[in-house]
Amino acid sequence: MKNELVIVIDFGGQYNQLVARRVRECNVYCEIYSYKIDIEKIKEMNPKGIILTGGPNSCYESGAPTYTKELFELGVPVLGLCYGAQLMSHVLGGEVKAAPVREYGKTEVIIDKPQSKIFENISTPTICWMSHFDYIAQTAPGFEISAHTADCPVAAAENVEKDLYAIQFHPEVLHTAEGTKMINNFVKNVCKCAGDWKMSAFVEETIQAIREKVGDGKVLCALSGGVDSSVAAVMLSKAIGSQLTCVFVDHGLLRKNEGDEVEAVFGPEGEYDLNFIRVNAQQRFYDKLAGVTEPEKKRKIIGEEFIRVFEEEAKKIGTVDFLVQGTIYPDVVESGLGGESAVIKSHHNVGGLPDYVDFKEIIEPLRDLFKDEVRKAGLEMGIPEYLVFRQPFPGPGLGVRIIGEVTEEKVRIVQDADAIYREEITNAGMDRSIGQYFAGLTNMRSVGVMGDERTYDYAVALRAVNTVDFMTAEAAEIPFEVLQKVMSRIINEVKGVNRVFYDLTSKPPGTIEFE
């Protein structure tokens, strides 16, 4: 399944996961590593190709992320993107300087070498996404310029003999009109990958690997009812059957009626043959979160308390050898383990386990997959579409959709507002066309007038984004009449709310969740 590997070397670029995602769209397996990875480790992996990401630094400055010249002498095709292109040129004897004109945004790129393996079937001019302060002033020896723009003489260059390609723009972002085709050209035309990494093979091989790893051991699965943990639970169930116990912790931070819905699907009356235990720990979590306002502290408290509850349940069951979690690849990278990007989330247990965890080992069967790949795996295993396409929900739940202190009253407010919002989005026929949507509770209280009386209540913020991979996102365009209906219902039906906002922030600079 993974006999063809392309690796992404991360130099701190914000789009590193998108690069890997685009490679996987070519049905080629891809992983992300920090630029600090040792050259010997790369040789051991024997990749079919290497891609260098963008980054915020100037490659000619002292202390800037770099890599040894040996990387370009392995005989493995290398594609440098933005900073990666500049670094390749710099290390191999070219010249990189501060650009007289900074390019940012959609830019017309002229293809000078249409016969290039990278630019096969690419139109000229083509619209690409530029974002750079520096530029390649002089190509490295052996390189030929293959594209330019009005302000950038070297938009792309290549050394065909050594399979080295430098691209100044970002083909991985959707703003580059033919970017996916360019990456496909590198993977197929240059790296000679067959592109036979299929989800059916991933599911089959993962189930087999779980059986071999677990043996006759007992496994405890952290089941939240979300897409990731549900797919992980069904995968484990298919692999080891009755050796699996699924514990569902209702921490009181779930969506409205969600605890009962999860039990209906996975509990004794559900369609899956799982050992299902529901733990009602709502008050325990509320007590722990009392007075806490800082987002990271809330995440860590919720994450640690989760583990403690599981430890207690494990002791009741007896010996438990493994804990299963629905960690996915963006969690791994955003927790600082995959590449060079800053730690964005700490509640994922890949990076935030408490010091003492009473399990032999953690199994994360989905840690190599992006969100849409998880859904494909779920469908491959016969999980119903309504479960597979359920709205994403963060591990800390409403704890990160309530700004400031979490209280039982605030939870009720956001649950009711969110239920109304989701109901109206479904009524408008938009529930499958929007990537993610939810209501959050701001910490702002303001004066209003309701029923001829002065009020001093909270403001609810509505979030809806369109996204392919959850790495970047744009605010969804929801018809004004739909937003007005949602606003009217929330203010009339949810006690404690007198204002409703719509969040227009994209990712980046914002995150999809509020905290």
Side-chain angles (χ1 to χ4, degrees):
M1 178 189 70
K2 298 178 184 176
N3 56 330
E4 291 185 333
L5 171 67
V6 170
I7 67 170
V8 171
I9 299 181
D10 179 17
F11 291 91
Q14 61 180 317
Y15 302 128
N16 61 358
Q17 294 183 48
L18 275 183
V19 179
R21 187 67 201 87
R22 297 291 170 254
V23 173
R24 292 189 186 191
E25 286 172 4
C26 305
N27 292 322
V28 174
Y29 187 67
C30 184
E31 290 183 343
I32 301 168
Y33 292 93
S34 163
Y35 71 89
K36 295 167 187 169
I37 184 174
D38 188 82
I39 189 80
E40 294 305 319
K41 176 85 186 292
I42 292 177
K43 289 178 185 174
E44 283 171 28
M45 289 190 283
N46 192 27
K48 297 277 283 187
I50 298 168
I51 301 178
L52 313 181
T53 73
N57 302 89
S58 292
C59 64
Y60 48 79
E61 289 183 348
S62 171
T66 189
Y67 210 88
T68 170
K69 188 178 179 183
E70 190 182 350
L71 182 75
F72 306 103
E73 298 166 348
L74 295 176
V76 177
V78 181
L79 171 64
L81 306 179
C82 199
Y83 180 87
Q86 295 166 5
L87 181 67
M88 181 188 294
S89 303
H90 177 69
V91 169
L92 295 177
E95 186 181 16
V96 177
K97 296 162 60 173
V101 178
R102 183 197 176 188
E103 287 186 304
Y104 183 80
K106 291 182 180 179
T107 307
E108 205 171 72
V109 173
I110 312 299
I111 307 299
D112 298 311
K113 190 180 175 186
Q115 73 272 29
S116 165
K117 290 179 181 177
I118 290 284
F119 296 129
E120 182 181 308
N121 296 323
I122 302 296
S123 54
T124 184
T126 185
I127 298 299
C128 301
W129 184 261
M130 286 283 192
S131 178
H132 63 102
F133 287 104
D134 295 336
Y135 79 118
I136 300 168
Q138 177 64 51
T139 57
F143 279 76
E144 177 186 357
I145 295 172
S146 53
H148 73 278
T149 73
D151 295 312
C152 184
V154 187
E158 57 189 52
N159 183 329
V160 178
E161 185 186 340
K162 294 186 176 177
D163 281 335
L164 303 177
Y165 294 82
I167 293 180
Q168 181 58 70
F169 51 87
H170 288 277
E172 69 273 22
V173 301
L174 294 177
H175 304 306
T176 297
E178 299 174 276
T180 298
K181 198 188 293 183
M182 294 174 196
I183 290 175
N184 186 69
N185 284 343
F186 174 70
V187 169
K188 303 283 177 64
N189 295 351
V190 181
C191 302
K192 307 297 183 189
C193 291
D196 55 4
W197 186 62
K198 297 285 193 295
M199 190 49 64
S200 55
F202 173 85
V203 169
E204 192 178 312
E205 291 189 19
T206 303
I207 287 172
Q208 185 56 38
I210 290 167
R211 282 194 192 116
E212 289 172 10
K213 185 184 191 81
V214 171
D216 59 0
K218 283 189 176 181
V219 180
L220 186 62
C221 179
L223 179 61
S224 71
V227 176
D228 303 335
S229 72
S230 296
V231 172
V234 173
M235 191 175 277
L236 265 291
S237 176
K238 286 180 179 290
I240 58 168
S242 61
Q243 292 166 249
L244 172 69
T245 298
C246 288
V247 174
F248 167 55
V249 176
D250 187 343
H251 50 27
L253 302 169
L254 299 169
R255 288 169 286 210
K256 190 171 184 177
N257 301 326
E258 193 157 41
D260 294 338
E261 289 171 8
V262 171
E263 185 168 2
V265 172
F266 290 102
E269 307 303 316
E271 56 192 287
Y272 296 104
D273 183 22
L274 303 174
N275 295 316
F276 179 85
I277 297 172
R278 177 174 178 173
V279 184
N280 292 310
Q282 295 93 328
Q283 197 57 50
R284 177 169 170 173
F285 279 83
Y286 295 153
D287 291 346
K288 284 277 184 181
L289 291 166
V292 180
T293 59
E294 206 272 314
E296 276 302 288
K297 195 170 178 188
K298 286 196 289 186
R299 288 177 185 272
K300 285 176 179 172
I301 286 170
I302 294 166
E304 180 156 344
E305 202 61 20
F306 245 103
I307 292 294
R308 295 294 163 248
V309 174
F310 281 121
E311 284 174 344
E312 290 165 18
E313 290 307 314
K315 283 169 184 159
K316 292 177 192 173
I317 296 162
T319 303
V320 172
D321 304 292
F322 300 93
L323 172 67
V324 175
Q325 290 186 266
T327 308
I328 64 175
Y329 201 51
D331 302 339
V332 175
V333 178
E334 291 186 355
S335 297
L337 298 187
E340 271 306 302
S341 296
V343 176
I344 300 170
K345 300 175 182 174
S346 64
H347 68 271
H348 301 294
N349 284 350
V350 288
L353 274 172
D355 295 334
Y356 170 74
V357 182
D358 196 12
F359 307 104
K360 184 196 297 181
E361 201 174 338
I362 298 221
I363 297 176
E364 295 168 319
L366 309 177
R367 69 178 283 129
D368 289 340
L369 302 186
F370 288 93
K371 176 70 77 174
D372 55 327
E373 293 171 327
V374 171
R375 290 195 167 109
K376 285 179 190 171
L379 294 173
E380 193 69 41
M381 293 187 295
I383 300 176
E385 281 197 15
Y386 74 89
L387 273 183
V388 170
F389 289 98
R390 188 171 197 157
Q391 274 290 297
F393 195 59
L398 299 180
V400 293
R401 291 183 181 174
I402 294 171
I403 308 300
E405 183 183 11
V406 175
T407 66
E408 204 166 344
E409 184 207 8
K410 285 183 175 180
V411 170
R412 177 201 49 84
I413 289 173
V414 79
Q415 282 178 335
D416 290 347
D418 181 71
I420 289 168
Y421 184 33
R422 286 187 290 124
E423 184 182 324
E424 291 302 334
I425 290 291
T426 300
N427 291 343
M430 301 178 71
D431 52 316
R432 287 287 287 273
S433 61
I434 300 174
Q436 186 170 352
Y437 52 94
F438 59 88
L441 186 62
T442 74
N443 207 23
M444 187 191 100
R445 298 183 79 177
S446 63
V447 173
V449 178
M450 294 174 73
D452 295 327
E453 289 186 1
R454 180 182 182 278
T455 61
Y456 186 64
D457 288 328
Y458 287 105
V460 162
L462 306 177
R463 184 83 164 125
V465 297
N466 286 323
T467 178
V468 174
D469 40 47
F470 293 83
M471 298 298 98
T472 60
E474 298 288 340
E477 290 187 33
I478 297 177
F480 189 64
E481 60 269 23
V482 175
L483 289 175
Q484 273 205 311
K485 188 170 184 182
V486 173
M487 175 274 297
S488 178
R489 282 195 61 193
I490 288 175
I491 287 176
N492 281 297
E493 298 175 33
V494 183
K495 187 182 176 185
V497 178
N498 65 2
R499 288 181 192 265
V500 175
F501 299 143
Y502 185 63
D503 184 354
L504 290 170
T505 317
S506 60
K507 176 186 180 180
T511 56
I512 293 176
E513 292 293 339
F514 279 178
E515 289 196 335

